Amino acid sequence: VVLPAAAAARAADAVDYAAVRADIAAVLEDDSHDDGSYGPIFVRLAWHACGTYDKASDTGGSDGAYIRFAPEAVDGANNGLSKARARLEAVKAQHPNISYADLYQLAGVVAIAEMGGPDIPFRPGRTDAAPGSGGQPGRLPDAAQGASHLRDIFYRMGFNDQQIVALSGAHALGRCHRTSSGFDGPWTRAPTSFTNEYYRLLLEEPWVRTSERGVPDQYWDKKRELMMLPSDITLVQDAKMRVWVEKYAADEELFFRDFADAFRQLQELGCKRLSTAPVGADAAGGGSTATKSWWKSLFG
């Protein structure tokens, strides 16, 4: 893998985040992996590293990068994520001063932007824990469950119904694999493009639940080309959540804004030593005028 920004990297005790972003972008594309991009699995890695947070006990979250080793690495919900961690080793080798915890989260941010999604403010400062020092397995959502389970999981982290639906929009990306989750297939027809298509499909397709021996139930479209999980379908079955599905299906700009805000919050759960200002797309000169205005409103 060629990392074009490596030569422009950091001073001895600093991290050049613009260079790290460029090098993450350089390892995204790979025709031999799924739909030609590691972007979706980088987003999944970032989300799963954060999704263990518990507000009541203030435990879990992305700080520590516990997802690198047992017990989190071997949690069934994290099956397949070793591929994402391995892919990012080339970036870590060129930027040894960035923590794995920051690298995994920045990889998710870069992947979303590179696949056409919003620029998400990223604040570094996470540190890496030692193997065997902790981890919170068993706290991630079970895709076979419904609204009550989703609320248990996301309310535990401090989110509300609107944010549950916004974060679920990441299912515009990637696909499920029998060997990882037991489910199979992509959610959308463009699994490497970040759009609001996921919501439109939820509302427009006549989803049919199927049961097959030895695998969990899931939903297929009429051509059996696209799938939805039971946890996806519950978003349109639950009246309070459906309101937001309809809003995001009709307004991609609203979805992008709400997703970016919720994903930023997700990434920072439990993190106590983050920088006061974001680094990344805006620091490197990127981002739209509207995005820059939003960043300023968040961080001054």
Side-chain angles (χ1 to χ4, degrees):
V1 175
V2 178
L3 302 178
R10 70 283 170 213
D13 296 319
V15 176
D16 183 340
Y17 288 98
V20 178
R21 284 185 66 101
D23 288 342
I24 292 170
V27 302
L28 285 176
E29 294 186 9
D30 184 342
D31 290 341
S32 68
H33 177 75
D34 272 3
D35 298 288
S37 174
Y38 273 83
I41 199 172
F42 284 177
V43 176
R44 180 172 170 242
L45 174 65
W47 146 235
H48 281 217
C50 304
T52 58
Y53 184 69
D54 174 67
K55 183 174 63 173
S57 62
D58 194 23
T59 57
S62 63
D63 202 17
Y66 292 102
I67 201 168
R68 291 171 295 153
F69 38 75
E72 284 190 22
V74 295
D75 187 337
N78 292 326
N79 286 346
L81 289 179
S82 59
K83 297 176 183 178
R85 296 195 300 271
R87 184 73 171 179
L88 289 168
E89 282 298 324
V91 180
K92 175 66 172 173
Q94 294 294 342
H95 304 278
N97 291 316
I98 190 172
S99 67
Y100 280 105
D102 275 343
L103 176 60
Y104 294 166
Q105 296 310 311
L106 185 54
V109 166
V110 172
I112 289 166
E114 290 291 320
M115 291 185 289
D119 289 322
I120 298 171
F122 173 77
R123 295 195 296 157
R126 298 164 188 80
T127 57
D128 292 336
S133 60
Q136 302 292 338
R139 289 185 174 182
L140 295 171
D142 179 353
Q145 302 298 317
S148 177
H149 172 75
L150 285 181
R151 288 189 171 103
D152 287 345
I153 295 293
F154 283 89
Y155 285 13
R156 186 201 72 214
M157 292 187 276
F159 292 114
N160 58 32
D161 287 354
Q162 173 259 318
Q163 292 167 315
I164 292 173
V165 179
L167 288 170
S168 296
H171 283 174
L173 304 171
R175 62 176 61 236
C176 289
H177 303 81
R178 288 282 189 229
T179 54
S180 294
S181 64
F183 301 103
D184 183 51
W187 286 270
T188 71
R189 296 180 180 86
T192 60
S193 294
F194 195 94
T195 69
N196 66 340
E197 184 187 5
Y198 166 77
Y199 302 109
R200 297 198 305 270
L201 289 168
L202 270 174
L203 294 171
E204 295 170 3
E205 290 290 333
W207 299 101
V208 177
R209 185 165 186 145
T210 60
S211 299
E212 299 178 24
R213 183 185 297 273
V215 297
D217 288 3
Q218 66 179 70
Y219 291 79
W220 289 101
D221 70 339
K222 58 187 177 183
K223 295 183 179 179
R224 204 177 171 90
E225 295 174 347
L226 303 177
M227 69 94 209
M228 290 287 172
L229 304 169
S231 60
D232 297 315
I233 297 299
T234 199
L235 302 183
V236 292
Q237 293 175 334
D238 183 274
K240 292 181 179 179
M241 293 185 186
R242 185 186 179 99
V243 169
W244 291 102
V245 173
E246 292 173 347
K247 288 184 178 183
Y248 295 147
D251 190 340
E252 187 173 79
E253 183 177 350
L254 175 65
F255 163 51
F256 274 28
R257 185 169 66 247
D258 286 355
F259 177 87
D261 187 55
F263 198 79
R264 175 187 63 83
Q265 181 178 329
L266 174 69
Q267 291 193 305
E268 297 185 356
L269 293 174
C271 299
K272 301 175 176 62
R273 296 174 295 276
L274 299 181
S275 65
T276 55
V279 299
D282 194 61
S288 67
T289 300
T291 297
K292 290 178 180 179
S293 176
W294 177 58
W295 281 42
K296 188 174 182 179
S297 72
L298 289 173
F299 298 102

